[in-house]
Amino acid sequence: MNWINNVVRPKIRSFLTTKREVPDNLWVKCPQSGQMVFYKDLEANQFVVPGSNYHFRMGADARLKHLFDGGEYTKYPVPSVPLDPLKFRDGRRYIDRLKDARAETQLDDAVLIGEGTLDGQEVVAAAQDFRFMGGSLGMAAGEAVIAGMMRAIEKKTPFILFAASGGARMQEGILSLMQMPRTTIAVQRLREARLPYIVVLTDPTTGGVTASYAMLGDIHIAEPGALICFAGPRVIQQTIREQLPEGFQRAEYLLEHGMIDMVVHRHKLRETLSRICRLLMANKAYAKAKPRAFNGYPYVNGAQVDRAIIDPRGNAEDEIVVEAEPVGEDERFDPSRVAKRQKAKREGESESPRPQAEDGI
């Protein structure tokens, strides 16, 4: 009887009934307040905890969907790069880590490029995904950032970057560090094209990404509580062996010390980005204007003309340049003339007799 109750009946019951499995991420605990939040509600609220306003990290695809109109965008293809040029191996092979990261995130690498419309205006945006090996900057990520900037130049649109990274990818060595100057040059190309480059610093933005393209934007926006730094607070504290101020290297601390321009809640981020893009792209003549000298004289107020000065009240079709009466040659700053004057002064002092010292001095 016991055999029937303990073995046979449970076997039959297991065939007739199916066990319901509860997902691991059904409920999420807020690290700040300890509040338990239903995952679907958290996702619908852009991963912001309703009570504490704690900002969880977002994936790259979710970032772009919340940015573009209707949540629709076109993924821009990125040039392919060698997957494991150094044949790197630590505890595991680097190629295996890449496969796992791709399976988890459904991304080719840490940066996703998308193009679409933001309140009707065309925009190119890049989003880093921290889930992909900590959003680290490698060859593929560097190529993606550069390709996105070049696409913005091609379409003459603003470029928006959502930064989230732990820094350069150590598995690619110097090839990873090489992306820092390469992306910096791409930022310079954007500036030469006179197109807005807006950076949204999310948690965390650290290391080589902070030391390169993430801090070279025209406007820097940070999400509340985001960690933004080169070396982390624990590293600094262990190095200098001193207690750091509360909130050190967080977005609010950096805003107070002038390192970023604004801290914006995630719910207001899209509206803020749209307004900034409209303001910076309002005068289309800014990108079309050509430098012009005053009466053929290549100087304006003593400085050589190298770019046009645009009147923001002008029309897009007008070529508006602020002209000024040129400064005379004798009034213009000339380093060689200053050097000659200083040399003559020194020679005059050396020729004049020195005063005799009094006794006892």
Side-chain angles (χ1 to χ4, degrees):
M1 189 67 180
N2 291 336
W3 179 78
I4 294 176
N5 290 333
N6 296 335
V7 179
V8 177
R9 287 182 178 177
K11 287 285 185 181
I12 296 174
R13 193 179 297 114
S14 65
F15 284 116
L16 297 178
T17 60
T18 57
K19 184 179 179 181
R20 293 184 178 181
E21 295 184 0
V22 179
D24 295 335
N25 61 346
L26 186 62
W27 293 89
V28 181
K29 184 177 181 180
C30 173
Q32 185 171 319
S33 63
Q35 176 185 356
M36 297 298 294
V37 186
F38 190 51
Y39 181 81
K40 291 293 184 181
D41 294 340
L42 184 66
E43 187 178 22
N45 202 41
Q46 299 185 39
F47 295 94
V48 178
V49 179
S52 63
N53 275 326
Y54 179 83
H55 286 52
F56 276 96
R57 295 166 183 169
M58 287 182 69
D61 181 62
R63 285 278 182 194
L64 297 185
K65 284 183 177 179
H66 282 99
L67 174 69
F68 291 110
D69 294 341
E72 298 180 355
Y73 67 93
T74 302
K75 182 180 177 181
Y76 186 69
V78 177
S80 59
V81 298
L83 291 181
D84 188 9
L86 303 181
K87 307 300 179 185
F88 190 90
R89 183 188 184 99
D90 46 10
R92 297 176 59 200
R93 293 192 309 164
Y94 174 46
I95 193 72
D96 294 334
R97 294 184 184 275
L98 284 176
K99 290 178 181 178
D100 291 346
R102 288 181 172 182
E104 178 187 355
T105 62
Q106 302 300 313
L107 298 174
D108 294 332
D109 209 89
V111 178
L112 178 64
I113 307 295
E115 50 184 335
T117 57
L118 175 60
D119 287 341
Q121 55 186 337
E122 291 189 355
V123 168
V124 177
Q128 292 185 263
D129 199 317
F130 193 78
R131 298 174 302 164
F132 197 105
M133 299 188 69
S136 51
L137 175 64
M139 290 190 297
E143 284 291 343
V145 172
I146 295 170
M149 293 181 180
M150 294 301 104
R151 181 60 172 171
I153 294 173
E154 179 185 346
K155 297 185 66 177
K156 293 182 171 54
T157 66
F159 183 72
I160 301 173
L161 172 76
F162 293 90
S165 175
R169 190 171 298 174
M170 67 174 187
Q171 290 89 346
E172 296 185 13
I174 192 64
L175 299 174
S176 171
L177 297 177
M178 190 174 68
Q179 307 310 312
M180 296 171 62
R182 293 184 72 239
T183 52
T184 302
I185 293 172
V187 172
Q188 184 61 31
R189 294 280 182 87
L190 272 175
R191 289 181 178 173
E192 291 173 357
R194 299 183 178 184
L195 294 171
Y197 173 37
I198 306 166
V199 181
V200 181
L201 302 164
T202 69
D203 183 66
T205 302
T206 62
V209 171
T210 307
S212 55
Y213 58 88
M215 297 307 297
L216 295 176
D218 298 312
I219 294 179
H220 293 93
I221 305 172
E223 289 189 333
L227 177 66
I228 306 164
C229 60
F230 179 70
R234 283 187 300 177
V235 175
I236 296 175
Q237 192 162 321
Q238 291 172 2
T239 302
I240 65 176
R241 297 182 180 180
E242 291 184 10
Q243 188 66 31
L244 299 175
E246 185 178 356
F248 182 69
Q249 294 181 323
R250 294 289 173 176
E252 294 76 10
Y253 184 91
L254 298 183
L255 177 65
E256 183 180 347
H257 289 77
M259 190 171 177
I260 59 177
D261 298 302
M262 60 185 79
V263 177
V264 180
H265 193 283
R266 189 174 292 168
H267 291 167
K268 297 182 179 180
L269 191 56
R270 186 179 187 275
E271 171 192 344
T272 303
L273 290 171
S274 175
R275 183 170 64 252
I276 291 173
C277 288
R278 285 199 308 271
L279 289 172
L280 296 182
M281 294 295 289
N283 190 357
K284 295 181 181 179
Y286 182 69
K288 297 180 180 179
K290 299 178 181 179
R292 188 175 68 205
F294 180 82
N295 292 336
Y297 198 84
Y299 289 92
V300 172
N301 285 346
Q304 190 168 5
V305 176
D306 59 353
R307 64 178 62 186
I309 304 173
I310 305 302
D311 184 353
R313 297 168 298 179
N315 297 323
E317 302 299 329
D318 297 336
E319 181 187 1
I320 305 171
V321 180
V322 176
E323 298 177 341
E325 188 70 28
V327 179
E329 289 291 344
D330 55 338
E331 299 176 351
R332 194 179 314 283
F333 175 75
D334 187 353
S336 61
R337 188 165 59 246
V338 174
K340 291 178 181 178
R341 191 182 302 119
Q342 292 176 347
K343 182 179 179 181
K345 184 178 179 181
R346 287 195 300 268
E347 291 176 352
E349 291 177 352
S350 61
E351 292 176 359
S352 59
R354 294 183 179 180
Q356 297 294 329
E358 298 181 4
D359 295 340
I361 299 179

